[in-house]
Amino acid sequence: AKSLWFAYTFLTIAGIIALRLCGMSWFDAICHAFSAVGLGGFSTHDANIAFFNSASIEFVLIVIMLLASLNFACHFAALRRLTLQPYFTHPETKAIFLLLSASVLGIALLLTAKGVYPDFLTSLRHAAFNVVSLATTTGFVSQDYTRWPVFAPIWMLFLSCIVCSTGSIGGGIKMFRALVLCRQAIRELTLLVHPRAVAPVRVGGKPVPERVAASILAFIFLYFMTVASLTFALLLTGLDFDSSFSAVVACINNAGPGLGVVGPFKTYQSLSDLQTWICTCAMLLGRLEIFSVLVLFTPMFWRK
């Protein structure tokens, strides 16, 4: 607990000072630092981060969001040893940075090719901020990404499902589960070719127990079944597909903005009471990680 609070406090104070130096008022700096470190995405302005129109502020927030999406044990180890080695050796951290780097570069090239922005550097700036923000389930926005080619916002919503690390504040499936799922798929392909091979699932060089792998498979199944069920529930209320699907994904990952009527520069205020309750259920299931909620509705839980 002390390690967690130390890393959280250090990151928050550093964020406040950095944002103040970039031109924010003390009030804005404090509010946005807390919001970024907590991956909450709340802003003090209706236009969100677009209000400031500052590349330096966006860069600072990118750094804060990235650090907040990583395992806080890595932060404590790095601060205690005064070295960056824990970030390079942690398997989730490497996967997160590789995936985000490829995504930012790819979307920046797409925006440039489609002529959304006049040059590559402008595309890179807006792609970097909005991709990192949505992928880390923060929800800050600086541009209306619904005007981008449809691939970009859908890919950003997908990233919000898997990018955040275990031991972080972010939502979604978490990168560790995604890595185990990939390793499990590779293992099954290996066993099809070599049925007698001993091929344990490894993440970061360490074998993952069969019980853990089975639990992760069950969790991911329930996660996607929950997304599908709640999307159909919203569709039954008359909401269009883009808004229904993106609202459920954004809520279950605690990311915030989606597409359609819940897009980046809109709110959930236009939803009906029933639609709001469905999204509320999605947020609770996502924040409590599904198992903790669904187990309450099993008969065996209430038996002595």
Side-chain angles (χ1 to χ4, degrees):
K2 287 180 181 179
S3 303
L4 174 65
W5 279 106
F6 176 75
Y8 196 100
T9 303
F10 178 85
L11 186 56
T12 303
I13 293 174
I16 292 171
I17 295 172
L19 290 173
R20 180 70 182 93
L21 292 174
C22 289
M24 278 190 179
S25 66
W26 279 112
F27 176 75
D28 283 342
I30 291 170
C31 291
H32 285 84
F34 274 108
S35 187
V37 175
L39 299 182
F42 290 104
S43 176
T44 53
H45 301 278
D46 290 340
N48 211 274
I49 305 304
F51 173 85
F52 302 101
N53 192 25
S54 169
S56 59
I57 288 175
E58 292 170 13
F59 177 77
V60 169
L61 289 173
I62 286 174
V63 174
I64 297 174
M65 291 186 292
L66 282 174
L67 292 176
S69 68
L70 302 181
N71 193 314
F72 270 67
C74 286
H75 300 328
F76 177 73
L79 290 171
R80 189 172 185 178
R81 303 172 191 170
L82 296 178
T83 176
L84 297 177
Q85 185 181 6
Y87 299 113
F88 295 109
T89 57
H90 196 268
E92 281 183 292
T93 302
K94 292 188 291 185
I96 288 170
F97 277 101
L98 284 173
L99 182 58
L100 282 179
S101 298
S103 298
V104 168
L105 182 60
I107 290 179
L109 290 171
L110 176 65
L111 296 178
T112 305
K114 295 295 183 179
V116 179
Y117 298 107
D119 55 76
F120 176 74
L121 288 180
T122 305
S123 299
L124 184 63
R125 169 190 167 184
H126 295 309
F129 182 81
N130 291 280
V131 168
V132 171
S133 177
L134 203 58
T136 58
T137 70
T138 307
F140 280 139
V141 291
S142 65
Q143 296 287 302
D144 186 0
Y145 54 72
T146 58
R147 300 178 182 272
W148 295 359
V150 67
F151 170 84
I154 296 297
W155 181 255
M156 288 157 61
L157 281 174
F158 167 71
L159 291 178
S160 71
C161 299
I162 62 172
V163 161
C164 289
S165 174
T166 54
S168 73
I169 308 159
I173 295 172
K174 302 293 195 303
M175 182 57 76
F176 177 77
R177 291 191 179 106
L179 289 174
V180 171
L181 191 64
C182 290
R183 300 290 195 278
Q184 181 71 21
I186 294 171
R187 176 178 181 267
E188 293 303 319
L189 291 174
T190 302
L191 292 179
L192 283 174
V193 180
H194 305 286
R196 298 184 180 181
V198 178
V201 176
R202 296 179 182 271
V203 175
K206 297 180 180 179
V208 177
E210 292 285 344
R211 178 69 185 85
V212 174
S215 175
I216 289 172
L217 289 173
F219 175 86
I220 293 177
F221 170 77
L222 288 175
Y223 175 89
F224 284 108
M225 286 302 298
T226 301
V227 170
S229 300
L230 294 179
T231 299
F232 280 116
L234 285 178
L235 290 173
L236 281 174
T237 66
L239 196 63
D240 64 277
F241 176 77
D242 287 349
S243 300
S244 298
F245 175 71
S246 63
V248 170
V249 173
C251 286
I252 202 169
N253 294 334
N254 299 125
L259 304 174
V261 299
V262 294
F265 286 115
K266 298 176 183 178
T267 68
Y268 286 70
Q269 187 178 8
S270 62
L271 301 185
S272 67
D273 289 346
L274 178 57
Q275 292 166 349
T276 303
W277 276 113
I278 293 171
C279 290
T280 301
C281 291
M283 287 189 288
L284 283 172
L285 286 167
R287 190 71 280 175
L288 299 177
E289 295 216 330
I290 301 177
F291 276 139
S292 302
V293 177
L294 295 185
V295 72
L296 299 176
F297 298 95
T298 59
M300 68 188 87
F301 180 82
W302 300 100
R303 292 175 186 157
K304 290 185 178 180

